[in-house]
Amino acid sequence: PAFPSNEAFKIMEQELGRPVSEVYSEISPEPIAAASLGQVYRGRLAATGEEVAIKVQRPGIGEAIAVEMYGIELTTAKSAEGIDGYAPNDRRTVQVKATGTGRGPAFRNTSQTADHLLFFELDLEAAKATVVFNGPERYAREMLPNGFTGQRLLSAKQIRAADALVPSEERLRRL
C-alpha cells in the first residue's frame, strides 16, 4: 500500500536539499507503483527534460526491518539524536540507517553516538533488504575524517570495509 504523497514529497525535498520543483519540471501527483519498502513516482528532470522514475523509501522502513530481523526495541520518541532503539539482550543503543541509493550511510558529527549500527541497503524494486553493516558504530566512524562538520557520507566500499573489521562476537544476532 502507498503512503501519503505529501509525506513522500517531504522526503524527496529532504534528500534533494531543495524544493522538488527545482529538480523536476513534472512529477506525478500519486505513485505509479508502491511496495512494502517504498513507492515510485514518474518525473521529468528540469535540467534535461529526461523522464525518470523517482523512488522514495517508506519512512521508518529501516527501523521496521531492524525490529523484525534483530528484535530491536525502538525508542518511543527520539530520546537522543542518533539513537533509534536498544538491542534486546544487553540494551546497547542502536542506530539504524537504510538507503536504496547504492551509496553508504550519512553521518552527522554529534556529541552522542550509538553503541551499535545497523545499515541496510534496500532494493525497492525487488522489495528486499540486505544487511551491509552490523557492528559497533565506532568501526564505521573510524572511516570518517577527524573533526568533520555538517554531514559526511561513507561510500558503499567504505561501509563494507568497516563491516569486514567487525568480529562475529561484536555483531547483533539475528532472530
Side-chain angles (χ1 to χ4, degrees):
F3 56 93
S5 287
N6 63 341
E7 209 172 317
F9 290 125
K10 285 180 190 172
I11 292 167
M12 284 183 226
E13 288 192 352
Q14 287 172 345
E15 294 285 321
L16 295 168
R18 54 188 167 158
V20 172
S21 60
E22 289 182 14
V23 179
Y24 303 105
S25 57
E26 297 173 22
I27 190 164
S28 58
E30 297 298 322
I32 58 171
S36 57
L37 299 182
Q39 54 200 41
V40 181
Y41 291 82
R42 180 174 287 121
R44 186 170 304 281
L45 293 174
T48 64
E50 178 185 2
E51 191 171 306
V52 294
I54 306 161
K55 298 174 186 174
V56 183
Q57 182 178 308
R58 183 176 296 280
I61 192 65
E63 290 83 354
I65 294 167
V67 168
E68 186 72 24
M69 291 177 73
Y70 295 96
I72 300 302
E73 180 185 319
L74 299 177
T75 58
T76 53
K78 287 288 183 189
S79 55
E81 186 177 17
I83 307 296
D84 295 309
Y86 301 93
N89 297 328
D90 57 14
R91 306 291 294 163
R92 281 180 283 177
T93 57
V94 178
Q95 181 173 39
V96 180
K97 295 180 179 283
T99 183
T101 64
R103 297 180 295 208
F107 291 88
R108 286 184 172 65
N109 200 358
T110 59
S111 59
Q112 181 177 0
T113 60
D115 299 320
H116 204 86
L117 172 66
L118 290 171
F119 175 62
F120 302 100
E121 175 62 38
L122 305 176
D123 181 339
L124 299 179
E125 290 175 18
K128 175 177 126 178
T130 303
V131 179
V132 177
F133 185 90
N134 171 6
E137 189 168 334
R138 71 178 184 278
Y139 287 98
R141 285 191 168 272
E142 287 170 2
M143 300 282 182
L144 296 165
N146 288 329
F148 73 90
T149 57
Q151 183 171 291
R152 289 290 184 271
L153 188 70
L154 285 184
S155 69
K157 183 177 179 180
Q158 287 174 307
I159 195 66
R160 283 182 171 80
D163 186 68
L165 298 173
V166 179
S168 61
E169 63 273 7
E170 291 189 62
R171 296 182 186 279
L172 291 179
R173 303 283 176 246
R174 288 177 81 160
L175 297 179

